[in-house]
Amino acid sequence: MAVPFLLASQSPARLATLRSAGVEPRVEVSGVDEDAILAAARASASAAGAVLPLRDQPYLLARAKADDVVARHDPDAIVLGCDSMLEFDGDILGKPHSPGVARERWRAMRGQTGILHSGHALIDNRRDRRGPTGAATIAGDTSSTVVHFADLSDAEIDAYVATGEPLKVAGAFTVDGLGGPYVTAIEGDYHGVVGVSLPLLRVLLRTLGVDFHELRG
């Protein structure tokens, strides 16, 4: 019998990636306010005289999503929260949401490179694995991959934005969908760019005493 596994994400790409690896997770979508979480974390870092590292920000959201699902549903399962952001020109970029923002980002990104960070947070909430205090075990890290973008024309950018896809994804692009022709190369983990790094997930599972194949039915 497979180890019970829950994905705290509504991303079709993450679900498809896990399914392609033989894993069929239960899905529960979190209800966290991502902007509020990041704003609070940045304010806390600033009050301490520090700056919140760009690479840490998607992990904070991944952890918040996993925590939210555990708090609301208390699943007897291992819970995976994920979040992706693109580091570009010193900024961290999530979903653009509007055509104007997506178009502006692509005009800046074309012919350039960025780093796609995907935060992963695992919470082992299985009842028979909790410690003496009843606390769940947590493991997490961030997958980072360099992405090279094609030098798109304005017409190509307008056509891609018109599909609606870049509005709904981190960094305004996909590598596994309509945006595939516009990514010329990557340096790192392909699956991490899609949204869930299978190699990193394997490593994190091992820290919980679980082998990846144990997730398969």
Side-chain angles (χ1 to χ4, degrees):
M1 179 181 246
V3 170
F5 188 63
L6 189 152
L7 176 63
S9 172
Q10 64 183 348
S11 165
R14 291 191 181 109
L15 180 58
T17 298
L18 290 167
R19 283 175 169 169
S20 72
V23 179
E24 188 63 47
R26 175 181 158 197
V27 175
E28 292 286 355
V29 180
S30 66
V32 300
D33 185 335
E34 298 182 14
D35 290 339
I37 289 169
L38 287 179
R42 289 165 180 159
S44 178
S46 178
V51 176
L52 183 64
L54 300 182
R55 191 175 183 272
D56 290 353
Q57 296 183 35
Y59 173 73
L60 286 176
L61 295 182
R63 174 66 188 275
K65 292 176 180 179
D67 283 340
D68 178 69
V69 166
V70 168
R72 287 191 293 117
H73 301 285
D74 192 25
D76 185 13
I78 294 176
V79 178
L80 172 64
C82 292
D83 193 85
S84 298
M85 293 182 172
L86 179 70
E87 179 183 343
F88 179 76
D89 198 24
D91 290 322
I92 194 82
L93 308 176
K95 301 171 185 175
H97 296 297
S98 75
V101 172
R103 195 174 294 110
E104 179 182 350
R105 286 188 186 175
W106 262 104
R107 286 176 177 167
M109 293 183 336
R110 58 185 170 189
Q112 305 297 319
T113 62
I115 304 174
L116 199 287
H117 300 294
S118 287
H120 298 61
L122 274 183
I123 299 179
D124 190 349
N125 202 53
R126 293 175 292 171
R127 290 174 177 77
D128 64 343
R129 297 302 178 99
R130 296 178 187 174
T133 64
T137 305
I138 299 167
D141 203 350
T142 298
S143 165
S144 299
T145 301
V146 176
V147 182
H148 297 261
F149 299 107
D151 190 4
L152 273 62
S153 66
D154 286 347
E156 287 178 304
I157 292 173
D158 290 344
Y160 183 37
V161 170
T163 68
E165 181 185 82
L167 280 61
K168 303 173 287 186
V169 290
F173 79 98
T174 65
V175 70
D176 59 326
L178 301 178
Y182 312 128
V183 175
T184 59
I186 65 170
E187 299 172 41
D189 179 22
Y190 168 84
H191 295 105
V193 180
V194 176
V196 54
S197 168
L198 296 178
L200 177 55
L201 177 57
R202 171 186 169 271
V203 171
L204 295 177
L205 285 166
R206 291 294 296 273
T207 68
L208 302 179
V210 176
D211 286 325
F212 191 95
H213 66 265
E214 295 181 77
L215 301 184
R216 301 180 179 129

